Amino acid sequence: MDRMVMLVIANVANWSLAIYGMITQPKDAASYLLAVFIINLLLYTTFYIVMKLRFREKILLLPVIYIILAAVTWGFALYFFMSKLTTWEVTPAMSREGNKECFVLDFYDEHDIWHFLSAIALFLSFMILLTLDDDLIRKPRDKIPVF
């Protein structure tokens, strides 16, 4: 039943995103797809963590550290992403006019920082999934619940 609830939530979220996309027809399709992918990564990770806790499996310290670091990094990355320095609706020359001053080493602007932070956050997110089952290393496979 727990799995069904989580799957219904994921389906509602994805259908809502699809309907929103059909109604509003976002001009920036790349950002819209990026939002869909990030939301699905978050949904899957949340589903997996909830199911582990539901089946009374332990979450070791390393995945907890990755969860905290990923959440913080995603927060900062999305802050820089929302600054909307670039646009796909105009020519590259016109888009460059919207650039702000470079503030990291007088070379990188906020859009560059978005790329750096989102790459780190994505890496940390996959490290969560990679290390989440480390508590099962010594448990026989036939004793591991499949969800």
Side-chain angles (χ1 to χ4, degrees), residues 9-138:
I9 291 170
N11 270 291
V12 167
N14 278 289
W15 279 107
S16 299
L17 288 168
I19 292 168
Y20 172 79
M22 287 189 304
I23 292 172
T24 63
Q25 296 182 354
K27 294 177 185 174
D28 187 359
S31 294
Y32 173 73
L33 281 176
L34 183 63
V36 170
F37 294 142
I38 290 173
I39 289 168
N40 274 281
L41 174 66
L42 178 65
L43 284 170
Y44 177 75
T45 304
T46 303
F47 167 79
Y48 202 83
I49 291 170
V50 166
M51 294 308 289
K52 273 189 78 69
L53 295 174
R54 172 69 177 91
F55 283 91
R56 292 180 176 83
E57 293 181 13
K58 289 187 283 185
I59 298 178
L60 301 178
L61 179 62
L62 187 59
V64 170
I65 291 171
Y66 284 136
I67 290 167
I68 293 167
L69 289 174
V72 170
T73 309
W74 273 121
F76 283 113
L78 291 174
Y79 168 79
F80 285 108
F81 179 73
M82 296 299 183
S83 64
K84 295 281 186 193
L85 294 178
T86 60
T87 180
W88 297 56
E89 300 170 5
V90 297
T91 65
M94 292 174 67
S95 177
R96 274 192 295 276
E97 289 178 16
N99 289 354
K100 291 184 181 175
E101 287 292 318
C102 297
F103 69 96
V104 175
L105 302 175
D106 286 330
F107 188 75
Y108 299 111
D109 69 356
E110 290 181 12
H111 189 75
D112 297 317
I113 303 305
W114 146 249
H115 282 281
F116 296 144
L117 290 176
S118 65
I120 293 166
L122 195 56
F123 169 76
L124 292 168
S125 297
F126 286 123
M127 288 303 293
I128 293 167
L129 297 175
L130 182 69
T131 60
L132 206 52
D133 281 335
D134 284 355
D135 63 310
L136 303 175
I137 194 95
R138 306 227 188 286

